[in-house]
């Protein structure tokens, strides 16, 4: 309770800031997760929501950008507290930002074309400035996951003022079609080793490998949902243990208390909005040099954003400093699946 009181006092003091366009609009204690405040704040004339978890005001500050796009991940800390306890807030003050159009920041008036990587980068700068001012930091740390890494890497290539370094978990690749080919060959071995002929047959209906080795997606326009089921069967989706998006994502998100019922409905509306956004079409640029250090974090079984493609992109990138870490017991979410090891790696790069 003492830690939570400190967080309330520190953040509450910011309500006195006079900057109209970026004033704190609302702050309340988040339900379901300790030492966390739910905040709504105007950022570039649009309401942005965020959860800020803090246990020690002297800790470094981390801005976390979720994937999807449009799928904020803070609620995982509540829904999976027993299976995958996340101790990140013991070592960092973490801002789980629901960016423009998603989660707490959803608004039916937002148009898909408004949500571009450039706009989100501008908003990220304002969020970072708010965090630096609030917690009296010269700079903060940046972490992004899955499709959020498109924005994360863009920031790492363009913003040296706000961030010490960038942690990329499940870094996305610029060639989306290759994720299917990489995944096919990896999961084929998984199914063959398990003797799962049924899963292998399901996968072989979605793609064709010609005699000369050419890989072909049978129905590119509709493969996404069916491919997700293959990933789940192989233990290569969100976590190695997850087998159903409905049971393990939708139902658990709808049962958490950190979002109100109305916010939960907006959560899924936001996912649909981001799916049609300009940001959804953005692909990372492997030729642009990074202006801050970058550290890649990938699960060995991650074929949502294949670890092989993340490594390929990593090898291409120029950066002041870079490192690549593979977590052998993880799929797409090492921060939760191997929490202590990921935090240990991150702390190596904290000033």
């Amino acid at each position: 309770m003492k830690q939570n009181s400190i967080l309330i006092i520190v953040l509450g003091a910011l309500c006195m800031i006079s900057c109209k366009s970026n004033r704190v609009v609302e702050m309340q204690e988040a339900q379901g997760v300790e030492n966390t405040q739910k905040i709504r704040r105007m950022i570039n004339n649009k309401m942005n929501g965020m959860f800020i978890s803090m246990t020690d005001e002297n800790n470094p500050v981390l801005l976390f950008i979720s994937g999807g796009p449009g799928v904020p991940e803070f609620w995982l800390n509540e829904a999976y507290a027993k299976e995958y306890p996340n101790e990140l807030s013991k070592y960092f003050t973490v801002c789980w930002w629901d960016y423009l159009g998603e989660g707490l920041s959803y608004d039916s008036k937002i148009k898909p074309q408004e949500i571009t990587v450039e706009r989100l980068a501008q908003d990220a700068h304002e969020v970072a400035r708010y965090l630096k001012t609030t917690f009296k930091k010269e700079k903060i740390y940046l972490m992004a996951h899955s499709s959020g890494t498109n924005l994360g890497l863009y920031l790492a290539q363009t913003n040296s003022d706000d961030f010490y370094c960038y942690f990329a978990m499940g870094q996305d690749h610029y060639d989306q079609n290759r994720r299917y080919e990489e995944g096919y060959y990896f999961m084929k071995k998984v199914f063959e080793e398990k003797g799962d002929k049924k899963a292998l047959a399901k996968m072989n209906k979605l793609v064709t490998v010609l005699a000369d080795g050419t890989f072909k997606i049978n129905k590119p326009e509709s493969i996404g949902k069916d491919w997700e089921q293959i990933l789940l069967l192989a233990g290569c989706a969100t976590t190695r243990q997850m087998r159903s998006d409905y049971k393990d994502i939708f139902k658990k998100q709808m049962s958490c208390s950190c979002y109100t019922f109305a916010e939960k409905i907006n959560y899924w509306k936001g996912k649909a909005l981001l799916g049609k956004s300009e940001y959804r079409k953005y692909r990372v640029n492997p030729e642009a040099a990074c202006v801050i250090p970058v550290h890649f974090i990938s699960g060995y079984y991650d074929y949502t954003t294949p670890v092989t493609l993340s490594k390929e992109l990593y090898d291409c990138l120029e950066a002041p400093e870079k490192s690549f870490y593979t977590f052998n017991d993880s799929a797409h979410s090492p921060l939760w699946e191997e929490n202590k090891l990921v935090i240990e790696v991150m702390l190596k790069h904290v000033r």
Side-chain angles (χ1 to χ4, degrees), residues 39-70:
I39 296 173
R40 286 183 173 83
R41 178 180 177 79
M42 294 300 290
I43 299 291
N44 292 325
N45 298 313
K46 294 287 186 181
M47 185 67 73
N48 278 228
M50 60 192 80
F51 294 91
I52 297 183
S53 298
M54 185 187 80
T55 57
D56 186 335
E57 60 184 310
N58 295 314
N59 280 344
V61 176
L62 177 75
L63 174 60
F64 187 95
I65 301 173
S66 296

Side-chain angles (χ1 to χ4, degrees), residues 104-116:
L104 297 175
S105 305
Y106 174 77
D107 187 329
S108 60
K109 296 178 182 179
I110 298 172
K111 305 300 180 185
Q113 57 269 26
E114 292 181 61
I115 310 174
T116 65

Side-chain angles (χ1 to χ4, degrees), residues 10-280:
V10 171
L11 293 174
L14 267 292
C15 292
M16 299 174 65
I17 290 180
S18 60
C19 180
K20 183 177 180 181
S21 64
N22 290 306
R23 67 184 182 279
V24 173
V25 176
E26 179 185 334
M27 180 178 68
Q28 64 188 91
E29 186 173 346
Q31 301 299 308
V33 181
E34 294 181 344
N35 306 315
T36 301
Q37 294 296 306
K38 181 193 293 187
I39 296 173
R40 286 183 173 83
R41 178 180 177 79
M42 294 300 290
I43 299 291
N44 292 325
N45 298 313
K46 294 287 186 181
M47 185 67 73
N48 278 228
M50 60 192 80
F51 294 91
I52 297 183
S53 298
M54 185 187 80
T55 57
D56 186 335
E57 60 184 310
N58 295 314
N59 280 344
V61 176
L62 177 75
L63 174 60
F64 187 95
I65 301 173
S66 296
V71 183
E73 296 173 53
F74 172 75
W75 65 272
L76 293 170
N77 300 317
E78 177 186 351
Y80 285 98
K82 292 183 179 179
E83 296 95 328
Y84 303 111
N86 187 353
E87 298 184 347
L88 192 61
S89 64
K90 287 186 178 180
Y91 305 93
F92 294 86
T93 293
V94 188
C95 174
W96 303 83
W97 174 38
D98 289 12
Y99 57 72
L100 182 67
E102 67 170 8
L104 297 175
S105 305
Y106 174 77
D107 187 329
S108 60
K109 296 178 182 179
I110 298 172
K111 305 300 180 185
Q113 57 269 26
E114 292 181 61
I115 310 174
T116 65
V117 70
E118 293 83 5
R119 169 57 193 264
L120 294 180
Q122 292 172 5
D123 291 352
H125 168 70
E126 292 301 327
V127 173
R129 188 172 69 157
Y130 162 63
L131 294 171
K132 291 190 296 182
T133 301
T134 302
F135 297 103
K136 298 180 175 61
K137 304 294 184 182
E138 181 180 351
K139 292 185 180 183
I140 64 174
Y141 294 85
L142 175 66
M143 187 174 198
H145 184 208
S146 195
S147 69
T149 61
N150 289 292
L151 174 58
L153 186 56
Y154 182 89
L155 290 168
Q157 293 168 327
T158 59
N159 186 332
S160 60
D161 294 331
D162 295 323
F163 307 110
Y164 285 117
C165 71
Y166 165 51
F167 298 106
M169 179 169 62
Q171 176 65 52
D172 216 351
H173 191 268
Y174 52 88
D175 188 341
Q176 291 294 291
N177 285 334
R178 285 186 57 205
R179 68 186 285 256
Y180 300 109
E181 185 171 3
E182 295 291 318
Y184 173 81
Y185 289 110
F186 183 84
M187 292 187 289
K188 182 174 183 288
K189 291 181 180 178
V190 170
F191 294 140
E192 287 176 344
E193 289 173 1
K194 292 167 59 178
D196 193 339
K197 296 181 180 179
K198 186 176 180 180
L200 187 58
K202 285 184 177 180
M203 184 170 67
N204 283 330
K205 287 182 179 180
L206 302 178
V207 301
T208 299
V209 181
L210 302 178
D212 64 357
T214 301
F215 182 86
K216 179 184 176 183
I217 301 171
N218 295 337
K219 295 181 180 179
E221 70 283 353
S222 61
I223 191 175
K225 185 176 181 181
D226 291 331
W227 194 255
E228 175 68 12
Q229 296 307 308
I230 304 301
L231 291 168
L232 288 163
L233 290 171
C236 295
T238 303
T239 72
R240 289 190 67 189
Q241 304 304 318
M242 188 175 291
R243 295 294 180 269
S244 168
D245 281 343
Y246 175 72
K247 291 181 180 179
D248 299 322
I249 297 292
F250 179 76
K251 286 187 70 175
K252 285 187 177 292
Q253 193 276 339
M254 289 299 290
S255 67
C256 71
S257 56
C258 56
Y259 286 103
T260 66
F261 181 74
E263 289 166 351
K264 292 171 188 175
I265 299 302
N266 285 342
Y267 182 102
W268 297 106
K269 288 182 178 180
K271 182 178 184 296
L273 172 64
L274 266 295
K276 297 180 287 187
S277 69
E278 288 299 307
Y279 174 60
R280 179 71 179 83

